[in-house]
């Protein structure tokens, strides 16, 4: 279907096209692709979340480019796409996690949290009066010592992955992940894989404040945001550290 | 009716075309056809539900491809189509089953559950403000020792079947089911028929983690999800097991 | 009025065309014509309801093709058209009948029930936010020893008939009914007339599980659904029974 | 204004055209013209309501073609146009009449009832979310010994008449009424005039069950529906009785 | 602006055109022009309201053509335009007048009543979901011995006049009023002026039951509807009485 | 952007055009330009408000052409544009002023009142379901001995001015004000400037009842509406008084 | 995408275009660019906010051109774009700051305030019934002795900056800021940088009442609005002071 005909079906938010597609959801996926990539890697020792946070301007504070979010003590969320939309979903996730602790006296499982978020997203694809969310999330964490890693996409479908990326260059990064992933990686190897995956998008060179990394270790079950020094160490080890011409002043 | 004219009637959710059709419902059926197939087979010994759950990527966790769902102790649901929509309907079904137990102190019948779901679906085809559900369900279970197998389609019509499929390749699989179905099959034979039906779509070769099977036995009246080993045995018996080049690592 | 012009008036649910017609209601009537026919015959001894329930596939359970519905002890309803819509109206009718018994301690009259349903239908032709019902009902029963037979169409108009059909082939079947109907028929003759009327649509050959018959006798005032054996006897008597190549297994 | 331009103004329910017309209301009047005519005649002795109720099929029960309605003991209503719409307005009128008796302990006046109905109708011509009513009513009755006869049209305007018709052939019948009406007619002469007015539409020949007549006498102040025998007598007297080839069996 | 372009701005109820006009309000003014004229004249001795109430048919009761309305003991309202709309505004005015008496124990002033009505009208020109009122009112009465005369137009603007007309032939009648009006007219002269103004529209000949006149005298402060005899006398005096061929029987 | 393209953006009330404009607000400004001008002048001795109130017809009461409004004892408002809209905003302003006195026991400041009104106006430019206000206001008054003069335009932006005009001929009048305004004018000189500014629109000749003037003196802090005699004196002094052919009789 | 096609996606407020963009948000950004620029600079000693407030007319009071706003004792906000919209967001910010003091007994942090405002803005980009805000804000202040500087744009995304501008000439001013910014500037140097940044837009010459400057010092943590004399001194020091031909009288 081309041009004028297609328009007939993608103008309305909540209707099907003759071939059974929801264009608004597919366009929301395009909004995700416009965002810099985020990556998740699951290893037996824990989960790694990583995000490209390069800025439009060197005068933007790196910390204010929010791509990684702590949803609860034991769960982190990486996002790609429309930043303002991501903030709304992170807020939903945090409230849900808090409510779970209050109501049941225990931390929410990674799976429950992911599915609560996707069910919330689905509503915006079926009912009128609002547009879908233009963002994809990677929800990673540890439940009862078991590392879990989920994707929440604009259609509201939850999938569990061993390793995945969302955002720009998705298919190239996926090829890299499929080629390099190993079932029995250490958490450190997972960090390395995540960084090399982002490097696919970044033409192989990164700066410590151009990337964000967090891990949730199966032992501590705690979300840990890596300080720039550690990120730098990892980049060096992987030979991904950019030369010094980085103009970022801090 | 062609091109421009057709557009006049399929843009609005809840209106009839001059020939008395509801295009949005028909397009929702197209969404179902875009999904991998699920199959249901009813035998005197119980009901079989089976689903193709091949993944876009081998890094997706097979268990997170949800095509079979336990609705209650004695009822399972297989789905095809828009995954996020299916999750909403499964949720409706589960709440309805729970409410029935609480209110009447007994399990809901398969027929009542199916019709409650279709009545819910119908609302989305008549009222404005939302689109129809892009998913078809197979509801199977045992009521008072009697196996029952229902289809819930996007129009909200409930039909009871001896054996059926929903999703891609529906007519080829139906031909296979009509040819192979026997009234007095054993439950095991039913599992075999379900697998061979899915094989129509899969070009005759399947892997244990590319397919999901569940049964509800008339004796136990319990939903049982078959472990991969059993699935493998069934596939072998039917000579449907794929060669080892399956890249799925686990 | 042709083509482009007509579109201007039939897109909106609740508006009149320049010649005073409600296109959406007329298109809903087309939806009725897409359904297999149902027939009602009123005799001094009682009312006959009959429906063609041939299935798309022999694997569909004949009983799950719902064309005849018991609305109350003394009233039955036959439908033609959009099946899911019919279910909603049947539900309205049943609730109304129950409410009448609870509130007034006596059965609802056939006329009251029919008019309650048509008033409900009318709302969907005048107010925005929903489409009309794509179904016609035949409401038959006995009130105070008097047989009554009503039609409820998509415009919400109630008419009482001696004999009528709704659904496909309506005008041919009506010609047949007008030619064969007699004021003083026995109930059995009424059953025969109903079957021969359906045969107009079915090219003169029917199987017991391809047709549904119910009667409400003026003496018992009870809705009775005829078992397949009796249907077969009636078909034989009328020489309408199909040859044995019927593939339906049960 | 022609073709495409006109469409711009008649699509919306509640807006004016450049020349100050409300097309939806005018189209609703067309719906009235599609209905068989009803007639009202006011004489010093009382009010006559008459309606053509010829049926599409001889198998329709004449009594179920509702064109005359008793609104209260002393008020009748004749309708023309969309039957299902008429039923809603009759219902409004009846409730209003009942409420008046309950609240004030006395019968509602014909004028009050007519204006309550027209005010109700007007709402449907000014507010969005619903279409106008496609029906015109003749409200006739006696208040304090004085015969009154009102018209309620789709615009919601009440007019009082000496004699009027609504529905098909309106202008021909009006010419007939204007020519034949006399201020001092007896009620019987009024019945005759009403029948001869309907005959304008019916090509001068009518059957007793093809017409409905009711009177409200100034003495009794009671709505009386004439039995077929009396109608026949009136038709004979006026030489309007059809020959016997009328196929209506009863 | 012409043809297609104009359509773009007059379809929506509540939006401005590029040149700052509200087309729907202007079209409502056209609806007023379609109505027969009403006239108001203010004299030191009181206010005169007059209306042309010629009927489409001589069988319409003259009294049922409502153009003059008593809003309260001391205030009358004349209308022109869409009759059913006028009835709604009259109702608003009457309720407001009653409320004022109940709340403050004194009659509402003519100015307050006029402005309450125009504020009500304005809402229908700014908010969606309804169309403007297609009617103009002349509100006349006496407040504290002072005669007042206001116009309420479809835009919701109140203007006070010495003498004015609304409805058909407005500009011709206004020319006549401006030419003939005198500051120190007697009330009787005012009646004469009003009649001669209507005669501009009526080609100089009128019948007593083709015109309605009411006065509010500054002494009595009471709305008085003139009986036909008085109207006839006034017409004779002004030499406006039609010849006898008037077919109106009463 | 021209013709057809422009239409795409100005039809919807609350959306931006590609170049970041709100067409509906700009068209509302056109509605203001269609109104006769009003002028405000601030002097150290107080504020002057003046308005052209020439009438369409000499039979309109000059006092009923409301262009100047007393909002509170110490604040006046002049308006230009859609009269019925102005009345709504004046009402909002008066209620706000009253509420302030009741709640805080002191008069509202000119600035607070102006900003309350503009915030109210802004809502009508951002939310659907209503059109913007087609009127601009000049709010003038004295707060704590300090004269203030604000403009409230259809976008809802408040600006404080030394002297300004709204309505027709705005830019010519502004040139005149800029040329003639002096910081240390007396209040009387301010009145003169306001009149000469209006004369720009009126071709230099005015009549006392064709113009309205009000002042708020910093000493009395009271809104004073000038009687026609004073207006005449001012016009004479400025040599702006029209010759006697003014037909306005009073 | 060009012309006609683009229109298909930018007419609806809350939908995605095929390439994943939200046109209404991008057009709102155009509205920002239509506004005169505002600048923020963060130094170790505090935050500087500066705004170009040149007026359309010299008769507008400079103080009424509101570009800098005090949100709380320790936080200021500079705006660019649609003035009336800015006022709404400033109001939201002030209420939020007040609520924080009342609820928690301590001042709100700059980050919390900024994110509350952006979350509020985001709602207007996802839900129907309103348009996005056509304004960008710079929120600057001090939290626990630490200077912070945030941007709130029409998409609802919060970013923290070292120095930034919003409004017209954004990219030229940004180049200037990037070139001139130093990490260890004094607050006074920050004021100078802000002024020279605005001068990029103003062709290098400014008057004290054509610019607004405020600072929040890390020591006092208080929002201070600079008096015209200080602004003049700063302009002189930077050699940006316009020659005397400035006609502004004060």
């Amino acid at each position: 279907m081309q041009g004028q005909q297609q328009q007939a079906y993608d103008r309305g938010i909540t209707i099907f096209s003759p071939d059974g597609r929801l264009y608004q959801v597919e366009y929301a996926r395009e909004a995700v692709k416009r965002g810099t990539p985020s990556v998740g890697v699951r290893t037996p020792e824990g989960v790694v979340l990583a995000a490209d946070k390069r800025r439009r301007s060197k005068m933007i504070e790196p910390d204010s480019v929010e791509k990684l979010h702590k949803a609860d003590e034991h769960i982190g969320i990486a996002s790609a796409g429309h930043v303002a939309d991501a903030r709304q979903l992170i807020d939903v996730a945090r409230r849900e996690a808090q409510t779970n602790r209050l109501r049941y006296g225990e931390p929410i499982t990674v799976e429950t949290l992911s599915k609560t978020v996707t069910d919330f997203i689905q509503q915006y694809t079926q009912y009128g009066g609002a547009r879908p969310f233009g963002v994809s999330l990677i929800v990673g964490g540890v439940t009862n010592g078991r590392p879990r890693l989920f994707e929440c996409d604009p259609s509201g479908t939850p999938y569990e992955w061993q390793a995945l990326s969302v955002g720009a260059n998705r298919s190239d990064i996926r090829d890299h992940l499929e080629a390099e992933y190993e079932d029995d990686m250490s958490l450190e190897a997972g960090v390395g894989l995540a960084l090399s995956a982002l490097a696919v998008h970044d033409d192989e060179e990164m700066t410590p404040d151009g990337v964000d990394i967090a891990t949730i270790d199966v032992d501590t079950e705690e979300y840990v945001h890596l300080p720039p020094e550690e990120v730098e160490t990892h980049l060096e080890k992987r030979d991904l550290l950019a030369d010094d011409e980085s103009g970022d002043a801090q």
Side-chain angles (χ1 to χ4, degrees), chain A:
Chain A
M1 206 184 338
Q2 296 286 11
Q4 209 182 356
Q5 287 220 320
Q6 188 175 321
Q7 293 182 24
Y9 304 104
D10 52 15
R11 248 177 278 179
I13 303 179
T14 59
I15 69 171
F16 286 104
S17 69
D19 54 348
R21 296 161 72 193
L22 296 167
Y23 278 119
Q24 270 300 301
V25 171
E26 303 200 1
Y27 296 169
R29 286 207 179 95
E30 291 302 314
V32 174
K33 288 191 197 154
R34 295 173 75 90
T36 50
S38 289
V39 168
V41 175
R42 193 188 76 192
T43 75
E45 291 176 14
V47 172
V48 180
L49 298 175
D52 183 318
K53 45 176 258 189
R54 278 185 304 176
R55 299 150 288 163
R56 281 172 294 148
S57 157
K58 67 178 181 180
M59 304 203 79
I60 292 182
E61 274 295 328
D63 285 355
S64 77
V65 181
E66 297 177 308
K67 300 279 303 275
L68 297 192
H69 317 258
K70 179 178 175 181
D72 199 350
E73 295 302 317
H74 61 306
I75 304 182
I77 301 182
S79 61
H82 198 60
V83 178
D85 284 12
R87 286 184 51 79
Q88 306 311 310
L89 292 180
I90 299 303
D91 201 43
V92 166
R94 283 178 178 154
R95 274 199 308 256
E96 195 65 31
Q98 286 234 338
T99 302
N100 198 83
R101 282 187 186 272
L102 285 170
R103 196 173 289 161
Y104 308 110
E106 57 183 35
I108 197 167
T109 71
V110 183
E111 185 174 3
T112 299
L113 185 63
S114 302
K115 292 186 173 174
T116 301
V117 171
T118 51
D119 287 347
F120 182 82
I121 292 171
Q122 190 272 347
Q123 307 294 307
Y124 288 77
T125 72
Q126 187 165 25
Y127 299 95
R131 61 167 171 81
F133 284 93
V135 68
S136 278
L137 304 182
I138 301 174
V139 182
V142 176
T143 295
N144 299 327
R146 184 178 158 209
R148 310 292 299 270
L149 187 66
F150 285 89
E151 178 190 10
C152 305
D153 82 346
S155 79
T157 310
Y159 281 110
E160 187 169 10
W161 294 82
Q162 292 168 319
L164 82 157
S165 80
V166 294
N169 275 67
R170 181 168 193 177
S171 67
D172 287 348
I173 299 179
R174 184 182 297 174
D175 290 347
H176 179 84
L177 288 172
E178 292 191 359
E180 303 290 327
Y181 185 77
E182 286 167 46
D183 276 5
D184 55 356
M185 302 178 112
S186 66
L187 189 57
E188 200 190 318
V191 170
L193 175 58
L195 286 172
S196 67
L198 290 179
V200 171
H201 173 70
D202 286 339
D203 298 327
E204 310 290 328
E205 291 214 332
M206 294 188 284
T207 61
D209 62 0
V211 67
D212 242 4
I213 297 192
T215 58
I216 305 99
D217 191 301
V218 291
D219 295 327
T220 60
E221 298 202 356
E222 285 197 357
Y223 177 89
V224 176
H225 189 234
L226 266 57
E229 307 81 58
E230 281 194 46
V231 174
E232 187 159 2
T233 312
H234 281 293
L235 287 173
E236 266 177 356
K237 241 191 270 182
R238 280 270 173 169
D239 199 21
L240 294 165
L241 194 61
D243 293 346
D244 228 348
E245 83 273 12
S246 151
D248 284 24
Q250 63 195 91

